[in-house]
Amino acid sequence: MTTTLPTTTTTERFLREFEVLKFQLQEQNPDWVFKIRNEAIQNFKQLGIPTRKNELWKYTSLEKIVAQEYSHNGVCNRTIQTHPLPWERDGVRAIQYLESIHIVTYNGNYVASLSSTDQLPKSAIVCGFSKACENHAELLQKYFSKIASFEKDAVLALNTAFVQNGLFIYIPKNVSIEKPIHIQNIVDNKEGVYYFQRNIVVLDARAQANIIETYHSSSPGIWSEVNEISVAQEAQLTYHKLQNDLPLLKQITHTTISQAQKSFVHTGTYTMNAQWVRNNLHFLLEGEHTETHLNGLYLTKGNEFVDNHSLVDHKMPNCYSNELYKGIMNDQSTAVFNGKVFVHKDAQKTNAYQSNKNIVLTDEAKIYTKPELEIYADDVKCSHGATTGQLDQEALFYLRARGISEENARALLLKAFMGDVLNTIKLDALKKHLEELINKL
Amino acid sequence: MLKIKNIHASIDGKEILKGLNLEVKPGEVHTIMGPNGSGKSTLASVLAGREEYEITKGEIFFKGQNLLEMDPEVRAREGVFLAFQYPVEIPGVSSINFLKTAVNEVRKHKNLPALGGADFLKLMKEKQKMVEMDTTLTNRSVNEGFSGGEKKRFEIFQMAMLEPTLGILDETDSGLDIDALKVVANGVNLLRSKERAFVVITHYQRLLDYIIPDVVHVLYNGQIIKTGGKELALELEARGYDWVKEEFNEKVIG
């Protein structure tokens, strides 16, 4: 047969892309990496790009987004471009007053010349993913594609097959990094393209770190970021993700965090000024007595779209998890929240709490919220709930009746609504930075 | 100062105020009494500018200006203060920040410079002492977790801070024990002056033992049907409202 269908599905296009790039990919990394890539693409072939029939993508038409971008770009551009750097283009890119260990990635590549990792102890590792494949293969093999399984996840499979670069961060046993590590991810290219970034972060036993990731791009395209994070026993991690500088780019992030016994993880996901975002955040609680906090804030306007999916997988007994996500939707924007807490049969004495609260400011703005609880143990304390409403009209009137303008009264109430998420941020500079960004919205 | 002329107000299509007239002069304390559902709280809401109420007829002038054309915040800045019957809890809005924002917006309206942190705290301390507001406000959200008495005292304290020309007390006495009632009344008495007027809406004569009114009105079915001196309140307490209603009905029919 020589006839071809008039339209090729996006899934087919990715598969064809892989065939084209195959030899290049094979050369790029050691064999064990290519083996994983190959498995991933085979898996992707089975799964295909998820459609809205898939419950996890019900409100997010990924297929449409991907098809649109493909029509712009034709092929998946894999050129690595490091110059010129748009470094000092505007002030948005820095977090004022934050004293940090600075790490820069540019189009997915670690840029040593712009990073200040000299303050890290010698035993710690920070390097690009490609470099880690060569220099730290033994270590990396324990984590790459081991924490986040692509078996049932097409987006993860796609990222694994095509991964270009990313970061490898390893904090050894008993090492405590006092200064926050700020990873500034910049994507800049005139042509809209796909970026596949993979970050692997490992905290060994009793290690401690604070990580802040920020994302910056004025380009169109799709940015797929996958983070695999391993937090060993008694280690402590705070991990903040700030998506506030993505006016055109569409971002799909997936973060899987695996926690060993007595570990502590606090995550914060803050999304504003972002055109189209989907975040997956998975926690695998693999040891007893772990503590997990998931906080999120999404502020949408215009026709922005933000979708947060989370999963807390309570596999072991005596673990604690607490999730609080809050959103304010303005104009014709849309947000999605789907939080799932899964308590396995053996995970007795689980304490799991989940709350999602939303304020919808206009008639056209939308929120789809779905808190889910699935419990197979019988001795647990779990709660979940979601609320959606407008600004409290009684409170608004009360403030105005004291001479406060409607505009200021609304601002006071919205700030108060966001307060319990913002107040969980212990890094004052980050909190202040977020408050300033919110004030500018 | 306040002139209400033949005001008709309705909510959800139902008329509550049916041609109410009232004139309050500077320095006076007027009490409005009346049975449940007579329109007392509606009057307070209409004066403060609640948007749910529709004014179908009539006029209200405050210091010669058309009050009905002003937004609630402008009314407040011009000097109208409503002490709420049910002060709303506003979690996350710090009481001090709220007060400071309010005080400075009112000052701005009067072309006065904004108060800085130290001056504001000084003023707050002074007024807190004046109205015996002993609740610690630091690190507390507006009305959140306040007891019934604390909420009412906080209202009077806000009034002391904002120094209005017209104070409207909407059943501020309801739910207060006698000690709290005395504190609230004392606060109001300290704020009385020859420039400032009050409209005290109440169900019970009890409050009037402590805030002595100049004029007492009976509101019934959306209209003021009787006006008298402070002794009228005592008579209402002793005899109820029926005789006033009958008197009014006879007058209307007659």
Side-chain angles (χ1 to χ4, degrees), chain A residues 24-287:
Chain A
Q24 198 181 323
L25 290 169
Q26 208 160 3
E27 260 176 34
Q28 194 174 312
N29 308 120
D31 286 347
W32 66 271
V33 178
F34 186 74
K35 203 174 151 247
I36 294 172
R37 285 185 193 278
N38 220 5
E39 284 167 17
I41 201 74
Q42 293 310 320
N43 204 61
F44 173 75
K45 196 176 173 181
Q46 301 296 316
L47 296 166
I49 289 280
T51 66
R52 293 176 80 147
K53 282 176 197 150
N54 182 326
E55 189 63 24
L56 291 171
W57 295 89
K58 197 171 169 183
Y59 303 106
T60 310
S61 47
L62 186 68
E63 203 185 17
K64 203 171 103 194
I65 294 289
V66 169
Q68 270 171 11
E69 293 304 320
Y70 246 138
S71 70
H72 294 160
N73 309 308
V75 291
C76 182
N77 185 337
R78 293 182 39 81
T79 53
I80 289 165
Q81 192 191 332
T82 47
H83 295 282
L85 285 168
W87 183 240
E88 286 175 312
R89 214 182 47 192
D90 49 49
V92 184
R93 300 189 174 234
I95 297 177
Q96 237 188 332
Y97 315 117
L98 182 76
E99 271 196 59
S100 64
I101 294 165
H102 206 161
I103 296 173
V104 175
T105 73
Y106 185 68
N107 289 353
N109 296 290
Y110 171 59
V111 186
S113 62
L114 284 174
S115 304
S116 60
T117 49
D118 48 327
Q119 290 173 66
L120 283 172
K122 290 255 176 328
S123 54
I125 301 168
V126 173
C127 67
F129 176 83
S130 299
K131 206 167 179 188
C133 291
E134 289 162 31
N135 299 353
H136 307 283
E138 208 177 310
L139 200 52
L140 194 66
Q141 276 184 59
K142 284 199 258 177
Y143 305 103
F144 174 54
S145 206
K146 293 288 192 300
I147 299 169
S149 161
F150 56 68
E151 202 185 327
K152 289 176 189 161
D153 190 320
V155 175
L156 253 170
L158 204 57
N159 180 287
T160 308
F162 284 102
V163 57
Q164 289 157 293
N165 215 334
L167 283 175
F168 177 61
I169 298 178
Y170 176 79
I171 315 289
K173 265 181 201 153
N174 302 319
V175 171
S176 204
I177 314 278
E178 297 298 332
K179 265 193 190 179
I181 299 169
H182 176 196
I183 304 171
Q184 206 159 14
N185 297 293
I186 304 167
V187 158
D188 208 305
N189 197 324
K190 285 185 182 65
E191 304 296 316
V193 287
Y194 292 85
Y195 297 94
F196 293 100
Q197 181 170 351
R198 174 74 60 125
N199 303 319
I200 313 267
V201 177
V202 179
L203 268 70
D204 215 332
R206 293 170 298 279
Q208 278 186 44
N210 295 290
I211 295 175
I212 303 166
E213 273 206 276
T214 57
Y215 304 89
H216 313 271
S217 178
S218 45
S219 312
I222 296 182
W223 186 348
S224 154
E225 188 205 47
V226 174
N227 298 291
E228 292 186 274
I229 301 176
S230 166
V231 182
Q233 65 177 72
E234 292 168 61
Q236 299 197 16
L237 171 71
T238 64
Y239 177 77
H240 300 278
K241 199 186 264 302
L242 173 55
Q243 298 158 309
N244 81 301
D245 192 13
L246 300 167
L248 298 172
L249 201 100
K250 298 175 176 72
Q251 190 174 43
I252 307 171
T253 78
H254 180 108
T255 302
T256 297
I257 301 179
S258 128
Q259 280 188 252
Q261 58 168 312
K262 292 183 186 166
S263 63
F264 171 96
V265 177
H266 175 120
T267 59
T269 306
Y270 321 102
T271 312
M272 61 193 97
N273 300 318
Q275 185 54 40
W276 191 98
V277 168
R278 162 69 179 245
N279 293 317
N280 282 357
L281 177 59
H282 292 182
F283 276 91
L284 310 177
L285 308 182
E286 311 274 7

Side-chain angles (χ1 to χ4, degrees), chain A residues 392 394-395 397-406 408 412-413 416, chain B residues 50-51 72-73 76-77 81-82 84 90-91 98 102 105 143 155 158:
Chain A
D392 182 346
E394 271 300 302
F397 180 71
Y398 188 88
L399 297 175
R400 292 178 74 192
R402 296 298 178 251
I404 299 172
S405 69
E406 188 175 0
N408 286 347
L412 273 175
L413 292 177
Chain B
R50 263 193 205 275
E51 281 152 9
E73 56 268 37
R77 293 172 197 161
F81 182 94
L82 169 67
F84 283 72
I90 315 182
F98 154 69
E105 289 214 31
N143 291 318
E155 294 291 294
Q158 289 173 42

